[in-house]
Amino acid sequence: MRHAVRFSGQGEQYQLVSPRVQLGIVDAFAGPTAIADARSLRTLRDRLADIERRQAEVARRRADTQGHLDALTALVGDVDALAGTPDELTELRRRRDRMRNADALRLAAGSSAEALSPAGGDGGARDQVGQALGALEPYADGDADLAGIVEQLVTASELVQDAGSALRAYVDGIDADPVRLEAVEDRISAYVEVERRHGADVGTLIGRADAARAELDAARADLSDTALAEQHAAVLAEARAVADRLHTVRANAVPKLSRAVDAELAGLAMGEAALRVELTRDDQPVPADGCVFWFRANPGLPESRLADAASGGELSRCLLYTSPSPRDRTRSR
């Protein structure tokens, strides 16, 4: 007996019109390698879909937090660009105020220096203290109380001299250059703008920027899809390789399947009928094969899809071969 007995359920022949079923028939005919590759390809597609879902979730979370992250990035960028300190701002304001009042400060400091120790050397507070010392020193050795006052006057004389020298140095150090004043005011304005933009003094902003850097680093690690992208690329490459290999196996099996079915149909009183199996392929990142069974019941009729051309009885006859046992498929090929 050429074929083993096969039982089919009522209406089972109509499954043949399904492209999925037709492709499964091609794989069954092609053998274990095609079946294993088809199963592997389904698994790889599921893995790709899972990775893509996770990538979409990362993208959604990134979009949800982007405004906050942008604000943190702006804060860090502004603080880093300013590269300032609270001490610098205090010093800048002191210098600005001195430069703005340079003329008045020169006059006041110069007058004070002259009052303490005139440039000509005569008069002034230093000379007056010296005169007081000259009057008291002859009697200081015999009077302890007086000796203490003399020591105070000596100290006062030294302080007056130091103060006069410091005042003259202060006058010489006053900077009234308008170009440098403008530079100082521009630097202060930079501080003021950063404080205005972020609503806090520079000392507070420096602390916030340190915390913002840590939060940004954590967010970048949490929202990075680099690892997912690498996984996706690796799985995609593997899936393409399996798809290409499977397509080659299927393409080799299709003409053999068509010839084998035609031979079997002849033995089932359908010698004029012909079945052609067409393998298609889409243009996707992972190419997917499709399958169409074309049927012609008689030579004079046009070739049509099996679902449109075959009657129920003809479908049943096709089913007798397209779903044989593994032993029969191997023998038929």
Side-chain angles (χ1 to χ4, degrees):
M1 184 171 64
R2 186 174 181 185
H3 292 289
V5 174
R6 182 186 187 280
F7 292 95
S8 300
Q10 185 176 7
E12 185 176 346
Q13 69 271 24
Y14 291 103
Q15 295 181 8
L16 284 177
V17 303
S18 165
R20 180 183 61 81
V21 172
Q22 292 176 359
L23 191 61
I25 291 170
V26 172
D27 289 343
F29 184 86
T33 298
I35 294 173
D37 279 349
R39 185 181 301 113
S40 175
L41 187 57
R42 287 192 294 272
T43 300
L44 290 169
R45 288 183 184 278
D46 289 342
R47 288 177 60 190
L48 281 174
D50 179 64
I51 294 171
E52 289 166 358
R53 281 193 295 271
R54 289 154 62 192
Q55 288 177 315
E57 173 62 18
V58 170
R60 184 192 63 75
R61 287 163 52 202
R62 185 185 293 116
D64 289 345
T65 61
Q66 194 59 52
H68 177 61
L69 296 179
D70 287 346
L72 294 180
T73 301
L75 171 61
V76 171
D78 286 346
V79 170
D80 287 348
L82 184 64
T85 66
D87 290 342
E88 183 196 14
L89 181 57
T90 299
E91 175 60 20
L92 286 169
R93 285 172 170 158
R94 186 191 66 78
R95 287 175 57 193
R96 178 195 61 187
D97 293 343
R98 179 184 294 182
M99 296 171 79
R100 284 178 174 177
N101 300 294
D103 292 340
L105 290 172
R106 281 199 193 97
L107 180 59
S111 299
S112 297
E114 283 294 310
L116 294 176
S117 179
D122 297 326
R126 183 171 178 272
D127 278 356
Q128 291 177 5
V129 174
Q131 291 172 11
L133 277 172
L136 295 177
E137 280 181 328
Y139 308 102
D141 290 342
D143 189 325
D145 292 338
L146 194 60
I149 296 172
V150 167
E151 289 179 1
Q152 290 177 349
L153 288 173
V154 170
T155 301
S157 178
E158 292 172 351
L159 290 174
V160 168
Q161 182 177 356
D162 291 345
S165 298
L167 284 168
R168 286 189 170 85
Y170 175 82
V171 170
D172 292 339
I174 292 177
D175 184 4
D177 187 337
V179 175
R180 283 193 287 271
L181 174 59
E182 183 178 3
V184 169
E185 289 181 332
D186 287 346
R187 179 67 173 159
I188 292 172
S189 295
Y191 271 93
V192 171
E193 174 58 23
V194 170
E195 290 180 340
R196 181 201 63 77
R197 189 178 301 157
H198 298 285
D201 61 84
V202 68
T204 301
L205 293 178
I206 290 172
R208 287 182 184 174
D210 290 339
R213 288 187 192 92
E215 185 175 348
L216 285 170
D217 288 343
R220 291 188 186 104
D222 181 54
L223 298 177
S224 173
D225 60 357
T226 301
L228 288 175
E230 291 173 353
Q231 291 178 33
H232 189 275
V235 175
L236 180 61
E238 184 180 358
R240 285 173 173 170
V242 173
D244 289 344
R245 185 172 66 238
L246 178 58
H247 180 76
T248 299
V249 173
R250 286 168 169 169
N252 290 332
V254 159
K256 298 175 184 178
L257 175 60
S258 296
R259 291 193 297 270
V261 172
D262 287 349
E264 293 297 320
L265 289 175
L268 296 171
M270 293 181 64
E272 299 297 322
L275 182 79
R276 181 173 65 86
V277 181
E278 179 186 9
L279 188 66
T280 63
R281 201 179 199 207
D282 64 18
D283 185 20
Q284 299 295 324
V286 180
D289 288 342
C291 189
V292 180
F293 280 13
W294 295 92
F295 184 74
R296 186 180 63 236
N298 294 294
L301 297 176
E303 185 181 59
S304 302
R305 291 177 183 270
L306 182 64
D308 300 327
S311 66
E314 291 165 341
L315 282 175
S316 298
R317 290 179 175 86
C318 291
L319 179 68
L320 288 175
Y321 184 76
T322 54
S323 304
S325 67
R327 176 175 58 82
D328 287 334
R329 280 200 305 271
T330 302
R331 185 178 59 222
S332 296
R333 282 179 290 167

